[in-house]
Amino acid sequence: MAKILEKRPLTPITKLYKVDAPLVAKAAKPGQFVIVRVRDGGERIPLTIADYDRDGGTLTIVVQEVGTTTRLLGQLEVGEEILDLVGPLGMPLEIPVEGHIVGIGGGFGAAALLCLMRELRRRGDTTTIINGAREKDLLILNEELTEVCDNLELCTDDGSAGFHGFVTERLAQLIEGDGPGRPDMVVAIGPMPMMRAVTETTRGKDIPTLVSLDPLMIDGTGMCGGCRVTVNNEVKFACVDGPFFDAHQVDFEEAVRRNKMYVKQEAESKDRTDCRKLAVGQV
Amino acid sequence: MPVKRVDKTPMPERDAVLRSHDFGEVNEGYGIAHAQFEAERCLRCQDPICIDGCPVRVPIPDFVHKVASGDMRGAAEVLRSSNPLPAVCGRVCPQEVQCEEQCSVGIRFKPVAIGYLERFVADWEMAQPPIDVTVKLDRAEKVAIIGSGPAGLVCAGELARLGYPVTIFEALHAPGGVLRYGIPEFRLPKDVLDWEIDQLRKLGVEIVCNVIIGKTITMDELMGEMGFSAVFIGTGAGLPSFMGIPGENLNGVYSANEFLTRVNLMRANDFPNADTPVMVGRRVAVIGAGNTAMDTVRTALRVGAEQGMIVYRRSDQEMTARVEEHHHAIEEGVEFHWLTNPIEVLGDEDGWVSGLKCVRMELGEPDASGRARPVPIEGSEFVMPVDNVVLSIGNKPNPLLLQTTKGLESNKWGCLVVHDGSSETSREHVFAGGDAVTGAATVILAAGAGKTAAQEIHEDLRS
């Protein structure tokens, strides 16, 4: 059980939680994730660790309400408990390159850049975050992100804030030397189409790029193999070998297809949470 | 006096057609009359070699004799003194190659149904009002157990009986390990498992779920600031093997672990009341012929498959599944494709499984395992139309703990190395047993290893 200490809506469907999880907070490193379950009979879903406070024993996670479990999670209030929370899982992110590191966050993916960029800046890298969303109101955590990096670049599809266009268009400008300049390495966290587009933007330009894959998982410890992805023609388990992989080697087509395996069931399950009162703790 | 009867008293079973659509237990269990009738067949040998066939050395004639004389409480005490999981073992042990294979009655007749009797006694005990089993955990040394599968549970039970405060750390949200996520309800009902685990809790064993040793807490922290004097590693063999054939990542291909976990742990059979789904089409091919493969194919039938198939590159003679499981699978309408080796999973334009390309095999000379080596018959490739493929070709130990723990040796298969004839690992005060050491084996071998390790930990801490 992990008690919710703080809850903050970031957009109408995105919420930030600070939870009491001292053991996980103590062990967590940037790039890792937790698995949560919110009710008896509930599914296990992976959530990226956005930030952690070892001294305070807290963990920050950001949840976008897209399916049954994330919606149920969204109903939980301060003082209530997340039924099960286990972690930290996955390999901590290792950034071999030093220099100008550009972190790209799409939608709620930007949250995962918090602890990562802070650690990189601490070790002496120049850090840039490109935070992108459809419109101004959907850009999250701008204040917090400003504090953890040297340059924060905002992008919106409709031009309501920052650069008018996709994160990849701004990234292309940086590669050409604009603004904070050419990246020595890129880390992209966000929706699959965005990560795929970033990958194509840096391909062939001699800029190592990492993406954070989020396949379906059950145990998160390598036991089920449901999260297998193909990287450099090898099968990897994202839960234990990932979640970060060399973007230019990832078979995105397969990853996207496998993530859509249960769309029908997901819709059926979600409909049920629409048509009756949400009752956390009951099935 | 022992009564001569050729056959075992049959186990009452639920009708195959009815049971293959639900998760109710297949074997209904003996009643008192069945049990006493069967127990009378025991010869009460002077030198009971059946005990040698039992990895936890249950004093078999003792408890069988008590059943025959109607002393069920006494029988239960004898059982429990040697095996902390009798209700589990009475259901899932391969008795035919253990105690019952040794049974003297079996020389001329069918052996005494020791497994059925064990289950009877455990079930009898479960039906009685609870009795106080608390023991004093007054020893100074705390012991940590990693993993709550059969090895860990038995080790914990034995150590608690010896007076040690024991904490089991479990990675999943519910305890039991493979007994929870692997073995289906129709073979081992979850309330039976829960009851057994409750007995351990009543003994004072603490079980902490959602903690992964090696991730949440390191081994060094466990033995350092957390103050555990000894550790038992019973992390099992939970890493599924894949064949490496084309098409294994198509939608609709599962490892047996994932398929069974979705149903057993996550209750996908009750979707959408439970939140986790499982995709099962009309035709399901399960690759492999061990107990897990039988569990998988029979589960597939219960969650809606019309045709459940076992595809195995060897013949039924080399199959590793228990006779009883094979027999139950046949009764439930499972098809068996022996001497058939899958070489590719085929998919449709959307990336879903549409078929399994196989090649026919014939048996050649014995291989390293002593079993006849299957050899492909040239030009015999054919395609089986299927909607799902589930791989049940074995598991390796999980490397998570090894990755973050210094001083733990493993072999080339990822199994933990222990000193000859003991459970001691390469690290001081750290012991291991079960599938984590042997590679995938049986529940009772793991239980036996847990029991032996408990004794060794006791000796280690007392020296």
Side-chain angles (χ1 to χ4, degrees):
Chain A
M1 297 251 237
K3 193 179 218 172
I4 296 170
L5 304 173
E6 192 184 319
K7 177 181 182 181
R8 178 150 59 102
L10 301 178
T11 78
I13 57 160
T14 313
K15 294 181 175 87
L16 176 145
Y17 291 96
K18 202 174 256 190
V19 300
D20 180 38
L23 289 176
V24 185
K26 192 176 162 207
K29 296 205 175 78
Q32 292 187 299
F33 62 95
V34 291
I35 281 192
V36 303
R37 203 172 72 109
V38 294
R39 62 172 170 183
D40 184 31
E43 58 181 343
R44 295 168 64 95
I45 61 160
L47 294 172
T48 304
I49 296 172
D51 210 350
Y52 48 82
D53 174 359
R54 294 206 172 126
D55 300 329
T58 63
L59 212 58
T60 304
I61 49 176
V62 171
V63 181
Q64 185 157 33
E65 294 175 35
V66 286
T68 300
T69 304
T70 45
R71 280 185 178 196
L72 291 169
L73 194 50
Q75 307 295 313
L76 294 178
E77 299 299 338
V78 170
E80 292 184 297
E81 313 244 13
I82 297 175
L83 182 61
D84 295 294
L85 183 146
V86 61
L89 296 161
M91 299 300 276
L93 182 56
E94 282 192 23
I95 305 280
V97 177
E98 290 180 20
H100 182 208
I101 315 291
V102 175
I104 307 180
F108 80 113
L113 291 169
L114 277 175
C115 56
L116 171 65
M117 298 312 270
R118 183 190 303 118
E119 286 304 312
L120 289 173
R121 193 183 188 193
R122 201 170 279 168
R123 82 169 191 192
D125 290 303
T126 306
T127 50
T128 298
I129 291 177
I130 306 181
N131 188 12
R134 245 183 12 253
E135 54 181 70
K136 188 181 168 199
D137 290 345
L138 299 179
L139 280 173
I140 61 164
L141 297 169
N142 286 334
E143 255 173 61
E144 289 83 351
L145 290 171
T146 312
E147 286 166 22
V148 299
C149 68
D150 299 316
N151 317 291
L152 177 65
E153 300 270 331
L154 302 179
C155 301
T156 48
D157 300 358
D158 67 354
S160 51
F163 175 79
H164 185 173
F166 296 133
V167 288
T168 43
E169 294 172 276
R170 183 61 189 140
L171 173 64
Q173 291 181 339
L174 261 60
I175 294 172
E176 294 305 316
D178 194 36
R182 182 184 156 88
D184 294 304
M185 178 142 193
V186 167
V187 181
I189 307 172
M192 208 67 110
M194 170 275 207
M195 291 196 290
R196 210 170 170 177
V198 167
T199 305
E200 292 317 313
T201 308
T202 58
R203 195 186 294 278
K205 302 218 166 62
D206 199 26
I207 301 172
T209 303
L210 292 172
V211 288
S212 168
L213 297 183
D214 62 339
L216 303 170
M217 291 183 189
I218 301 179
D219 59 294
T221 63
M223 189 193 82
C224 79
C227 65
R228 54 198 192 278
V229 290
T230 304
V231 182
N232 198 11
N233 296 315
E234 263 184 74
V235 176
K236 298 278 182 192
F237 289 2
C239 67
V240 287
D241 301 320
F244 286 90
F245 292 102
D246 177 351
H248 299 128
Q249 305 287 349
V250 168
D251 183 342
F252 279 101
E253 201 179 309
E254 179 187 277
V256 169
R257 164 170 61 69
R258 287 184 60 82
N259 265 9
K260 289 185 178 156
M261 200 154 147
Y262 298 97
V263 272
K264 244 174 69 188
Q265 285 84 353
E266 282 159 7
E268 185 184 350
S269 175
K270 207 170 105 179
D271 282 349
R272 286 165 61 95
T273 56
D274 279 338
C275 359
R276 58 184 178 164
K277 292 283 175 213
L278 290 168
V280 174
Q282 293 170 26
V283 169
Chain B
M1 280 304 290
V3 179
K4 278 187 196 168
R5 268 190 296 270
V6 175
D7 286 319
K8 283 182 185 177
T9 310
M11 167 60 79
E13 289 174 2
R14 291 174 60 228
D15 179 78
V17 175
L18 295 178
R19 76 181 190 229
S20 64
H21 295 288
D22 66 32
F23 281 83
E25 203 173 3
V26 170
N27 288 346
E28 294 178 302
Y30 279 172
I32 284 192
H34 292 108
Q36 288 192 282
F37 194 66
E38 180 62 19
E40 285 170 358
R41 296 179 66 229
C42 176
L43 297 176
R44 287 162 222 161
C45 307
Q46 284 294 317
D47 176 21
I49 50 173
C50 52
I51 298 177
D52 298 336
C54 174
V56 295
R57 300 194 62 81
V58 167
I60 294 163
D62 269 14
F63 98 79
V64 173
H65 178 60
K66 289 199 158 60
V67 171
S69 62
D71 177 12
M72 302 311 169
R73 174 61 67 195
E77 277 162 15
V78 170
L79 257 184
R80 202 156 281 285
S81 68
S82 54
N83 181 2
L85 302 172
V88 171
C89 293
R91 285 171 165 83
V92 304
C93 267
Q95 289 96 5
E96 66 274 14
V97 295
Q98 296 178 342
C99 51
E100 293 181 20
E101 188 179 46
Q102 304 290 329
C103 173
S104 304
V105 177
I107 297 168
R108 290 180 53 208
F109 302 148
K110 295 278 182 212
V112 175
I114 300 167
Y116 295 165
L117 289 171
E118 180 180 29
R119 174 185 159 169
F120 164 77
V121 174
D123 287 0
W124 177 90
E125 194 188 7
M126 261 192 284
Q128 305 309 305
I131 49 167
D132 185 19
V133 290
T134 357
V135 288
K136 253 201 177 137
L137 304 178
D138 50 5
R139 302 223 189 232
E141 303 93 342
K142 292 195 293 175
V143 183
I145 310 257
I146 310 179
S148 66
L153 291 176
V154 170
C155 188
E158 292 294 309
L159 286 166
R161 259 180 261 281
L162 291 165
Y164 292 96
V166 183
T167 305
I168 304 181
F169 294 96
E170 167 57 45
L172 291 172
H173 59 263
V178 73
L179 305 173
R180 173 85 49 190
Y181 72 75
I183 301 181
E185 189 94 24
F186 56 83
R187 276 217 292 142
L188 176 62
K190 295 292 167 277
D191 52 8
V192 171
L193 176 61
D194 289 339
W195 189 85
E196 296 265 41
I197 291 173
D198 269 350
Q199 301 311 298
L200 293 172
R201 286 205 173 101
K202 281 183 188 164
L203 273 180
V205 171
E206 194 190 353
I207 303 179
V208 182
C209 288
N210 293 323
V211 169
I212 303 171
I213 303 301
K215 285 283 185 188
T216 319
I217 298 170
T218 63
M219 184 76 95
D220 289 337
E221 287 170 328
L222 209 55
M223 303 190 75
E225 60 208 70
M226 292 181 73
F228 287 97
S229 307
V231 175
F232 174 74
I233 305 173
T235 45
L239 200 73
S241 297
F242 286 84
M243 292 183 77
I245 59 175
E248 273 182 337
N249 282 3
L250 286 166
N251 290 3
V253 181
Y254 288 108
S255 70
N257 275 4
E258 181 180 359
F259 189 84
L260 290 170
T261 301
R262 281 181 179 271
V263 177
N264 297 336
L265 176 70
M266 308 307 294
R267 312 207 308 249
N269 52 308
D270 195 26
F271 180 84
N273 292 319
D275 297 333
T276 304
V278 65
M279 286 301 295
V280 177
R282 254 175 358 98
R283 301 156 300 189
V284 178
V286 176
I287 302 173
N291 288 318
T292 308
M294 299 302 152
D295 284 346
T296 306
V297 74
R298 294 169 68 198
T299 298
L301 291 177
R302 284 161 170 81
V303 290
E306 290 168 22
Q307 195 182 3
M309 293 169 275
I310 288 284
V311 179
Y312 187 47
R313 66 198 176 105
R314 301 175 188 261
S315 78
D316 55 351
Q317 294 305 305
E318 292 83 26
M319 155 188 85
T320 55
R322 283 184 66 196
V323 178
E324 187 179 37
E325 304 314 323
H326 178 216
H327 173 71
H328 282 157
I330 294 171
E331 284 181 346
E332 291 169 15
V334 170
E335 285 175 26
F336 292 85
H337 297 264
W338 306 114
L339 293 167
T340 305
N341 195 31
I343 48 176
E344 184 178 357
V345 186
L346 305 173
D348 63 18
E349 62 273 21
D350 298 323
W352 282 91
V353 174
S354 63
L356 186 62
K357 191 173 178 186
C358 300
V359 60
R360 301 224 187 268
M361 310 290 275
E362 58 190 354
L363 293 177
E365 294 298 306
D367 63 12
S369 72
R371 301 181 293 179
R373 183 193 300 277
V375 189
I377 303 175
E378 224 173 285
S380 66
E381 288 85 359
F382 68 104
V383 173
M384 270 182 183
V386 298
D387 305 298
N388 287 100
V389 172
V390 188
L391 291 116
S392 179
I393 56 166
N395 286 300
K396 290 169 292 206
N398 196 313
L400 267 190
L401 183 64
L402 279 164
Q403 283 168 358
T404 57
T405 308
K406 285 194 203 89
L408 264 189
E409 266 176 53
S410 62
N411 65 20
K412 62 177 170 176
W413 297 284
C415 300
L416 288 168
V417 174
V418 290
H419 295 308
D420 270 347
S422 87
S423 333
E424 217 177 338
T425 66
S426 50
R427 207 174 141 145
E428 223 186 346
H429 309 303
V430 177
F431 295 75
D435 287 2
V437 171
T438 58
T442 61
V443 167
I444 188 66
L445 285 172
K451 187 170 170 175
T452 311
Q455 274 306 326
E456 290 177 28
I457 290 171
H458 179 48
E459 283 158 28
D460 179 58
L461 293 176
R462 299 270 66 80
S463 64

